Amino acid sequence: MSWLWLTMIAAGLLTYAIRLSFIQLFAHMDIPPTVKRALRFVPPAVLSAIVFPELLLPAGRLDLSLGNSRLLAGLLASLVAWRTKNVFLTILVGMAALLLLQGFQGE
Amino acid sequence: MKLSRGTEFLAGVRDELPISLGGIPFGMIYGVLALSADIPPAAAQAMSAIVFAGSSQFIAAQLVASGSPAALIVLTIGVVNLRHALYSASVAPYLKKLAPAWKWLLCYLLTDEAYALSITHYQKGNPNAELNPAFSDWRHWYFLGAGLALWSTWQASTALGIFLGQQVPASWSLDFTLPLTFLALVVPVLRDRSSVAAALSAGLVALLAFSLPYKLGLILAGLMGITVGMWSESR
C-alpha cells in the first residue's frame, strides 16, 4: 500500500474522530448547562459565518457595490426566507435573481 | 400527521437535493484537481469516501501536488475539518439516546450541509412526540436521508470529474445554491436578539478573518458568535 493511501486513511480517521468527538463524549455524561446554552448559538453563528463571505467577498475582496450580484440576490433571497421560511423557494428566487443580474451585467 | 421512518428519510433526501445539486461542480472540480495532482483515479475516488469533506480534499490535492510530507497533509486536513467538532457538540444532545451504531454512522455523514439541515429539523421539534409523548422519535432517519443524499452526489460528481475531466460552466453559478440554502436555514432561526447578535458578530468575524488559512476564520467566527450570543442573552 502506497504512502498516499496510508495518508488518506489517517486523514479519514482523524476527520471521523473529530466528527464523533462530542457525540461520543456527551453519550456518557450529562451536558453541562453552560455548554447547553452555548450550543443554541452554533447554528446562527456557523451558518452566518459561511454565508457572509460568500455574499460580501465574491472575488475574495469586500464588495458592497450594486454591481455585486451575489449580494443583491442574497438580500432578495433573505427576504423570501424571512417571509416564507421555504428553503426551496428561497433557493429558486436567489438563483433566478443571480442569473438575471449576471445576464444584465454581461458577466 | 404521523411521521414514519420512511417519510423522515425521504424528507431528508428531498431537502438535501438542492444543496447536493450545488455540490456537483465542487465534486467535479475536486476530481479534476486530484488527477492533475497525479493522484491515481482509484485513490482520488476513494478519498471522497474515506475523508468525505470537500474543502479539505481540495487542499489535500494541492498539498500532494506540491510534494508535501504525509504528516503535514494529515494535520492540515484535521485543522480544516476542526469545525465539525462544533457540529458534533451541537447535534450530540439529539443523538444521545441512539444506539452506538447509529452514532457511528451519522457522525460519518456529519458534513456542513447535512448538519445545517438536520439541526434545523431537530430544532423544529418532534411532531410525533407532540401528538403522543410515548411515540418514537424518527428524526435520525431524516439526518440519514440528508447525509446519504449528499454522500451519493459527492461520490458521483467526483467520478464525473475524474472520468469526464470537464467542469460545469462557471457561468451557471450552481455553487450559489450552497449559501442560499444556509441563508434559508439561518434566517428563520433569528428569532430573538441573542441569536441575531450571534449571527451578525460571527458574520463580521468571518469577513475579517477570511484570509486566515485552513478555514480557521470559520472556527474563530463560530466561537465569537457563540460568545456574543451568550453574552447578549445574559444581559
Side-chain angles (χ1 to χ4, degrees):
Chain A
M1 201 183 269
S2 76
W3 73 271
L4 181 64
W5 281 87
L6 290 173
T7 308
M8 283 192 330
I9 291 168
L13 286 175
L14 182 60
T15 301
Y16 185 80
I18 292 170
R19 288 172 171 166
L20 181 61
S21 59
F22 287 100
I23 294 174
Q24 191 67 35
L25 181 71
F26 290 149
H28 301 293
M29 61 175 273
D30 285 328
I31 303 173
T34 318
V35 175
K36 233 177 202 163
R37 273 187 53 218
L39 292 181
R40 175 163 91 82
F41 296 109
V42 175
V46 176
L47 298 181
S48 327
I50 296 177
V51 171
F52 269 56
E54 295 268 4
L55 300 186
L56 293 166
L57 308 172
R61 270 177 295 109
L62 188 67
D63 184 354
L64 292 170
S65 74
L66 285 176
N68 182 353
S69 38
R70 289 189 174 225
L71 178 58
L72 293 182
L75 287 175
L76 186 66
S78 311
L79 202 66
V80 175
W82 180 53
R83 294 304 298 257
T84 67
K85 294 185 182 175
N86 183 325
V87 177
F88 186 70
L89 198 64
T90 306
I91 296 173
L92 206 66
V93 171
M95 278 309 289
L98 180 71
L99 293 175
L100 266 175
L101 286 165
Q102 285 180 341
F104 278 129
Q105 289 162 356
E107 275 176 25
Chain B
M1 184 180 59
K2 219 167 63 171
L3 292 180
S4 68
R5 277 169 266 210
T7 37
E8 285 276 6
F9 180 82
L10 287 177
V13 172
R14 190 195 58 216
D15 291 350
E16 190 69 51
L17 279 182
I19 314 191
S20 298
L21 188 72
I24 290 173
F26 286 119
M28 293 179 72
I29 295 168
Y30 159 72
V32 172
L33 194 69
L35 289 196
S36 71
D38 282 332
I39 297 176
Q45 182 71 53
M47 176 140 63
S48 276
I50 296 173
V51 178
F52 185 40
S55 31
S56 70
Q57 291 177 228
F58 273 84
I59 295 172
Q62 284 160 354
L63 289 176
V64 170
S66 65
S68 306
L72 179 73
I73 299 176
V74 174
L75 259 176
T76 306
I77 292 183
V79 175
V80 173
N81 293 334
L82 210 55
R83 67 185 186 286
H84 293 122
L86 273 180
Y87 306 161
S88 183
S90 177
V91 296
Y94 301 103
L95 305 190
K96 204 174 164 88
K97 286 189 184 133
L98 293 181
W102 267 105
K103 291 181 184 134
W104 297 332
L105 175 62
L106 291 181
C107 79
Y108 169 64
L109 299 171
L110 189 62
T111 52
D112 294 320
E113 293 85 351
Y115 164 74
L117 281 174
S118 304
I119 195 67
T120 312
H121 188 63
Y122 273 120
Q123 289 181 342
K124 272 185 205 152
N126 180 8
N128 290 329
E130 278 151 25
L131 286 175
N132 172 7
F135 207 89
S136 300
D137 180 357
W138 301 123
R139 285 176 295 172
H140 48 290
W141 283 88
Y142 179 96
F143 190 162
L144 182 67
L148 279 183
L150 188 80
W151 187 89
S152 322
T153 330
W154 186 243
Q155 307 311 319
S157 56
T158 301
L160 274 178
I162 290 173
F163 294 112
L164 297 180
Q166 285 163 349
Q167 298 165 17
V168 175
S171 61
W172 291 7
S173 301
L174 272 183
D175 61 295
F176 197 53
T177 57
L178 182 78
L180 283 176
T181 310
F182 287 180
L183 223 147
L185 295 173
V186 76
V187 170
V189 172
L190 306 176
R191 282 170 304 230
D192 55 322
R193 192 191 56 183
S194 310
S195 39
V196 172
L200 287 180
S201 53
L204 200 65
V205 173
L207 292 177
L208 294 173
F210 186 70
S211 51
L212 287 184
Y214 313 135
K215 294 219 164 199
L216 284 174
L218 202 54
I219 301 171
L220 206 62
L223 293 176
M224 178 60 89
I226 293 166
T227 311
V228 170
M230 289 179 80
W231 171 77
S232 156
E233 193 183 48
S234 67
R235 264 181 357 131

